[in-house]
Amino acid sequence: MFHACIGILTIFLAAAWLGAVSPAESSPPSDWLSERNRDHRLAGLIWDSATGQVLSPEGLIRRLARSDYVLLGEVHDNWDHHRLQAWVIAGLVEAGHRPSVAWEMLDWDAQPRLDAYAGDAAGLGEALEWADSGWPEWSAYAPIAEAALSAGLPQRAANLPKARMGLLARGRLTALDPEERRRLALDEVWPEDFDSSLLDELEDAHCGLVPRSRLTGMASVQRARDGAMAAVMVEERADGRSPVVLIAGAGHVRPDRGVPWYLRALDPGSKSLSLSFVEVSDSAVQPGSYAGGRWAGQILWFTPAAQRPDPCEQFRERLESQRE
């Protein structure tokens, strides 16, 4: 996860952004905050990778509203992605829906604090002890909370508690008791090619610097987290809320083996739709260039990219410091 600096300018901008994505707004924000590739030809385009169709913002909301589950995939440190996620939630409300909002960034232990909170979006981060969570600062995510709170929408902490993740990281899925594995659909038959695909993704995410043999525990954690988020979403739908919206990293919303796979296992016959916010690349100027891999079968909303240090160089330095 990446951390942006907090300063007076950040606080000022955060206040402006909260106002810029109010539920009364009919058009999505287009005054990009991210610095890289703002003038890219794809920035702002909404594209269905399954059909090749370009969607209008209004057409997108109509598509999402017909789904039981809506999964909004982000790059965590891209503030534009959170503004657009907030706009989607507000758009569903404007269309007459009462979606429930589930958060990857909050684990189940945070639910009592989330339920007890009665203030505004700006103060929710402190109530959730967000500053100690390791996620980008709360002001990045506050527009999402503002969209939910202003419409009185239910919010759910969807992630697996850290204690369980620790057990999984040191072992396998059998570290969870049988009842919990069933609840998270972890006993369902998992195709063998998913294992290799997930390990490939984790190896790439760690810049090839972690031996593949050490990634098995991380893969178990990833699977359990996806199952946990799906289980919470299914519970929300069982309570009559639809669509259920998930705020999560783009890797979690991929339709093949991400959270949608577990939704299909836990709620057969339901319909989920993944919308990922995709940072454009200098070397890819056609929508089809983004159609494969994790983006397959999704609707993609292209945005500029956040300015950030080289994550692989940062990870390499951290590994070296641990060896000293």
Side-chain angles (χ1 to χ4, degrees), residues 14 35 39 58 89 102 159-160 225 233 241 260 290 296:
E35 298 178 3
D39 297 325
E58 297 76 18
I89 293 169
N159 209 348
L160 201 66
R225 292 178 70 209
M233 295 176 75
R241 298 173 181 121
Y290 302 81

Side-chain angles (χ1 to χ4, degrees), residues 104 158-159 224-234 246-248 252 259:
E104 175 203 353
N159 209 348
R225 292 178 70 209
D226 285 347
M229 287 184 266
V232 167
M233 295 176 75
V234 170
L246 176 66
I247 305 296
H252 292 290
V259 174

Side-chain angles (χ1 to χ4, degrees), residues 141-159:
Y141 283 89
I144 302 168
E146 171 68 15
L149 288 170
S150 64
L153 303 180
Q155 299 184 74
R156 287 294 303 272
N159 209 348

Side-chain angles (χ1 to χ4, degrees), residues 190-200 212 256-257:
W190 177 258
E192 289 185 9
D193 62 317
F194 283 6
D195 274 325
S196 58
S197 173
L198 178 53
L199 287 170
D200 287 345
R212 198 173 178 90
D256 54 352
R257 56 167 172 75

